Amino acid sequence: MTNIKDIAQRCGVAISTVSRVLNDHPDVSEETRSKVLRAVAELRYIPNASARNLVRTTSDTIALLVKGVSNPFFAKLIKVIEREITLRGYTLELHHMDTSEDELLIGAQLANERKLIGILFLGGRFNYSPGELKLINVPSVFCTYTNTFGDLDASAYSSVAIDDKQAARFAVDTLVSLGHRKIAILADNEYDKSISELRFQGYKDALSSHGIPFDPRLVACTGTFSDMGAIYRATSDLIARDSSFTAIFAIADLMAIAAIKALSDHGKRVPEDCSVVAIDGLELSEYTLPTLTTLVQPVEDMGLACSKTIIELIEKRGENRQFTFNPMLRPGGSVRRIGG
Amino acid sequence: MTNIKDIAQRCGVAISTVSRVLNDHPDVSEETRSKVLRAVAELRYIPNASARNLVRTTSDTIALLVKGVSNPFFAKLIKVIEREITLRGYTLELHHMDTSEDELLIGAQLANERKLIGILFLGGRFNYSPGELKLINVPSVFCTYTNTFGDLDASAYSSVAIDDKQAARFAVDTLVSLGHRKIAILADNEYDKSISELRFQGYKDALSSHGIPFDPRLVACTGTFSDMGAIYRATSDLIARDSSFTAIFAIADLMAIAAIKALSDHGKRVPEDCSVVAIDGLELSEYTLPTLTTLVQPVEDMGLACSKTIIELIEKRGENRQFTFNPMLRPGGSVRRIGG
DNA sequence: GCAAGTCCTGGAAACGTTTCCAGTAACGTT
DNA sequence: AACGTTACTGGAAACGTTTCCAGGACTTGC
């Protein structure tokens, strides 16, 4: 491998000069600059990232810590994020975590050991204490969830999410406005202070604002966002328990799809016998039968917000901030006016 | 940040001794070992990866180069791979490429600059020449495709894939055995020597083995694996062109799902008016209406094979090898005997 | 003609490890 | 008692950069 010394030697200049050329420092004559660049090209010189990182006591790597879910929504989000990050010359490192692991601890450890310059948290809970948040001493952004519980100062963290509670409320409102009153919910009630909890809250809020009593028998708990088998079984259990509901609100598209299958297998047609509304807005959901009525998360915008924010934080061009996007209703064939 | 020197100082030993303890070298007394380990714990010492990589002239990072597609199949595969890689103490770096980019060139560049110890290629073409393959001077594995064209020596590369041609043949055989003879194909004919070409070959082979003439009018070219809108339109075009077919073979589950929607929108029911078979075996496809008849790629095994192979190559415990898995037919509701 | 400033360059320290080499002490062997 | 072994340890070079500091060669202003 050719290194910076080889270049220096061949050009008859000092190592430091080569370094200056490579890092676009101003104080170098046009002549030496081009001489060095020519040598770099000829010798196919590729700088050694470890050496640079060592002396700079930093790296060019942003970690993406993904938790639990393997939701197609995440796949798209990751794609957008990756594109932006690499476009800006940074590198993205992928880490997957189980639901049981503590993302902040793992993030802190990684940040030190690998000299990360930033962390993107994807999925998981958000019940951090201010003290816990301080564990992470590099810029970080929490994607897809935000501190709606209000116990954190806005300057203490960055986040990108939709207004989950609002989205759920909107989904349920849609159903109510079509005459539905017995509305079941399909949710993953794994952790507290999670997306799931927020959407569940929104569901309850919407019911109460319409004077509909909350019925715990209409809650189907899947325990997962991604395991469609479990979701299917949870829906089947729900039907077995009380099949008087006329609509289901699923907190994720994939849940709705599994639920529709379960309903169909139990002889309930969608939307004739049961309406279904979800949150996510996957492209896929436009191509199911029936197509899904769902609240679309602006995944492209959200991905951009994530990468833009983390890069601004890293380059010290911005402060911590919270993005809250509004999901848009995408009407599909999975809902119908009751008795309609 | 505390470093190895701090530990050495506090313990009254040399830096080299601390290093030996940290790297589990044998020649160190039990007493000093425990003394050092205690200090490491107390000072919360975390070794600097850059420094280690610099002197070792290597890193602990394996890159995953994903091309084009954002197929849910890949999402699952990536998850399995990531788990295994981190379990073994390595780090996974994620790079996404456009279809237009040359993965080998990019891989070679990355390998040098970031001192990668291995590369996993995911998706894309496989028409490399032996010379091109030599560009990559680190262990690498090509996931989801293999050199079925036979112009490469088996010792020159590693790969993990299903027998794509065989899978396609099996899919079409299934349709023929149910009496279908006018079988359309839905494929992405972007690159040569790709998965797409192999499955297309299998389709043609199967037809000819049953004495069915190949009809180019029954080929719907999507130009993409992932853009469901494009797939939908390709299917609509197909129907508009010649709707006499009684079955569709889609080379991916997602394509089949979009196709079923297109068929339905044109008044063709699946499976009554048209049968559909695909390849992938996504979990999702068990929950569509109708459920998909599809050839399941053993994603878990494939992911394990990828990570196992790359790690063995890195640790010099194995040679280049090619894995070819056999997909299994998962019967669904999307096929029916003709006239049945 | 000289001081002050500008522009460019070279030398060398520093970053935090690993690893080679040499060296010491204790120990058993002859 | 001399010597080879063994078990452990310390010192120092090396990895390939960046960056600080100093200095030389010009230019400019007086």
Side-chain angles (χ1 to χ4, degrees), chain A residues 301-319:
Chain A
D301 294 342
M302 291 171 75
L304 286 177
C306 285
S307 23
K308 196 161 161 261
T309 306
I310 194 93
I311 288 172
E312 283 184 2
L313 286 170
I314 288 167
E315 296 174 353
K316 304 234 185 299
R317 296 188 290 101
E319 297 292 308

Side-chain angles (χ1 to χ4, degrees), chain A residues 4 16 19 23 45 48 55:
Chain A
I4 202 172
S16 42
S19 175
N23 292 286
Y45 167 71
N48 180 317
V55 50

